[in-house]
Amino acid sequence: MKALAAAAVAFALLIALALLAPQWLVFMAMLALAKGVVVLGLVVLMRTGLVSFGQGLYFGIGAYAAALLSHQWHIADAAVMLLAAAAAGGLLAALLGLLLARYRDIFFAMLSLALSMILYGLLVKSAALGSTDGFNLHARTFFGIAFASGMERRVFLIAGSACAVVAALMVHRLLDGHWGRLASAVRDNELRVSYLGASPYRVVYFNYLIAGTLAGLGGALAALAVGHVDPETTYWTTSGEFVFIAILGGTQSIMAPFVAAAIFETLRTIASQYAPNVWQMSLGLAMLAIIMFQPAGLWSLAERWRRSA
Amino acid sequence: MRMSPSFTLRAAVAAFVMLLTVPASLAQQPIKVGIVTLLSGPAAGPFGVPARNAAELTAEMVNAGTVPAPYTQKGFGGTPIELVIIDEAGGPQKQVAEFRNLAPRVDIVIGYISSGDCLAIAPVAEELKKLTILFDCGTPRIFEDASYKYVFRTGPTGTMDNVSVALYLVERNPNVKSIAGINQNYAWGQDSWADFENAMKTLKPGIEVKTSQMPKLFAGQFGAEITTLLGSGAEVIHSSMWGGDLEGLVLQGAPRGLFEKHKVILSAGEPAINRLSTRIPDGTILGARGPFGPFAPDTELARWLKTNYQDRYQVPPNYASFKIAQAILGVKAAYEKAKGAGSAAPDQDKIIAALENLTFEGPGGTVKMSLGKGHQAVMDAAVGTTKVEGGQLKMVDVVRYPAEKVNPPDGVKSEAWIKTGLKK
């Protein structure tokens, strides 16, 4: 009930933002939301103790699925793009999960990284898709309704908010119940879970599927916001960025990925504007500070504040 | 401290005077120009930083009114300009975000070296209705696949780089029978090779393509590729490499006789001159993506950039430096044309109207905004051959190709134009 109320408040705030904020803020919120959705999936995976350095694979698949719809088949409906991207991410994760769910720790991380770099290599070699230059995409309708001029990104943000809120609620329900405890148990002692009669493989597989679907959705949200796709979306630095955001926020809360993604985008923009020569270092220092002083993520600050209040 | 009445009075008068001067200083608000160039990453050294340096130098001298004619007026039409510089690194997604943040803070944006960034930025500039000048990226797709009102490119496209080296080669070696290529495996390398290959097939039907090596971008090591090229039996080897990869190719290829056994074309080799200098073997055909650097015409504007840049940064300006100076001077020309004799600052639409189809002088020579409905520049192309004379690398046998000969007519796509005979 409390989660539902929080979700309703967040959704209302995001709609207000989408309708009232200046365009640049709408865009940044959209990008933060897209990354938040991907990181939400990563957090689900982290509950089982697995870190994927290859979420860029699904992020890129989602982005290219959305873009190809408009580019190859001339379907320019944002809703169709979002659904297709989530489906594409989910399908690929269902396939690759069969293999990846067998691996743990560094092997899982490296294998996921390798798979995303294979897609990167394929995209770079495909001159028809613009190679490293990528190509533009245009969404002109949402569920068949054409956008008023200048409203596209505001509509995208509302649609993205709806997706994100629904996804967050579903993940919250899932992790709050039996499944979430099972996931933590897999992380803590997999052997014991097997002896209790549950299948760790199934838990990991299913969580990987969720992470892939959400990353696909996030990829389409980002592609809609940016209006351009390129292989950079599948590159390991993009995947690393998602892990960065997950660590920045911490894995305890469903809200944390979104808050952390917003902080990350703001931090990066401020660093780019005011320290154009050392913006990467500024981000790196922020990362170091988090790991040294708040190893459980920024969300632990909120938790501590709530407990003391 | 107790204030004396006279001090209070003076302070009040001073404050009043300051208030009076506020509107005057508002009228003298500088024109803010956003500069986006690579300040970090592998392309920062050869392109990004030389471009930033030239932008700072040009802005300073434009404001001081010390640029040669026809740019002697201070600032843009008397109003000083102020640069807001940001880093282009981080990929198109980040660049779109940064562009959206930058656009409300500046009057004009000049930038972008990467073609991927240019393709992503152009529709956003159009959406935000912000005058945006692309200065370096090469892909002709920008104005061939779409048309824009607010976007211009004051540098020529990559098409003429490879068409001009192909023409140069065929004029010198009319009996050339086989070619091979080594290009970086990403959009720039793929497009450059496709342009060169197609141009050669048009100019010499039946030419044999022995091999096309596509090593990974920033691979740095080309031992295997050089072996393949040496064994391919091709007469000519084409490469559009730049930066560390180009240095790697020259330093690893020269000792193995790659440059002696074959005629080597480096279509974007000019920025490497400053670092490699005499280590580039004699007889290498070199391009500079336009009449820049050592190919610049002997004009007062070219001498102005070369001397001042050399004095300040202790290296000669390369083509990235030339191209950003050219972009700033082009906007200045359009701004002053739009302003005319009047004293009011022209609005953006007037500047756009003035820049469309404009012909202006840059440090690399005449720039004609004649493609893409007046939004895409063409320039003459220049190609030369390297020769070490007295311990210094010289460009000899330099040939200039008029812009019309190495660029497609407006409305014709580069790829189709090259394949269908390079006709005017």
Side-chain angles (χ1 to χ4, degrees), chain A residues 24 27-28 31 59 124-125 127 130-136 153 222 226 228 230 232-233 268-269 272-273 276-277 279-280, chain B residues 39-40 52 85-87 89 91-94 96-98 100-101 105 115-116 119-120 123 127 139 141 148 185-187 190:
Chain A
W24 63 269
F27 177 81
M28 263 182 58
L31 217 51
F59 188 69
V124 166
K125 281 190 174 64
S131 182
T132 42
D133 285 351
F135 56 96
N136 291 351
R153 275 172 186 79
V226 175
H228 183 84
D230 65 283
E232 193 93 16
T233 48
R268 190 167 73 170
T269 294
S272 297
Q273 274 183 24
N277 291 303
W279 63 271
Q280 290 102 329
Chain B
L39 302 177
S40 55
R52 184 205 55 197
I85 299 173
I86 64 168
D87 188 2
Q93 218 168 66
K94 172 172 184 290
V96 169
E98 298 312 333
R100 285 176 180 275
N101 296 331
R105 301 197 294 141
S115 287
L119 283 167
E127 183 192 322
T139 182
R141 281 169 60 200
Y148 298 104
N185 197 358
Y186 79 116
Q190 293 162 3

Side-chain angles (χ1 to χ4, degrees), chain B residues 169-183:
Chain B
L169 174 70
V170 173
E171 283 163 15
R172 260 142 212 80
N173 301 37
N175 297 319
V176 59
K177 290 200 175 50
S178 58
I179 55 170
I182 176 163
N183 289 281

Side-chain angles (χ1 to χ4, degrees), chain A residues 62-147:
Chain A
Y64 271 84
L68 281 174
L69 275 181
S70 83
H71 196 251
Q72 304 292 111
W73 296 289
H74 306 289
I75 298 168
D77 191 277
V80 177
M81 288 180 179
L82 289 174
L83 290 172
L91 274 174
L92 189 67
L95 195 70
L96 296 180
L98 293 172
L99 175 75
L100 276 164
R102 294 172 189 279
Y103 293 88
R104 299 291 180 270
D105 306 326
I106 189 79
F107 307 103
F108 177 87
M110 287 294 114
L111 201 54
S112 61
L113 176 75
L115 289 170
S116 76
M117 289 307 288
I118 289 176
L119 180 65
Y120 177 78
L122 288 175
L123 289 174
V124 166
K125 281 190 174 64
S126 60
L129 295 180
S131 182
T132 42
D133 285 351
F135 56 96
N136 291 351
L137 81 156
H138 305 280
R140 297 204 170 76
T141 59
F142 189 74
F143 281 122
I145 303 161
F147 301 123

Side-chain angles (χ1 to χ4, degrees), chain B residues 338-360:
Chain B
K339 192 178 178 189
S343 60
D347 62 11
Q348 186 172 264
D349 282 349
K350 281 206 186 116
I351 304 173
I352 288 172
L355 190 50
E356 271 176 3
N357 295 306
L358 182 71
T359 299
F360 64 94

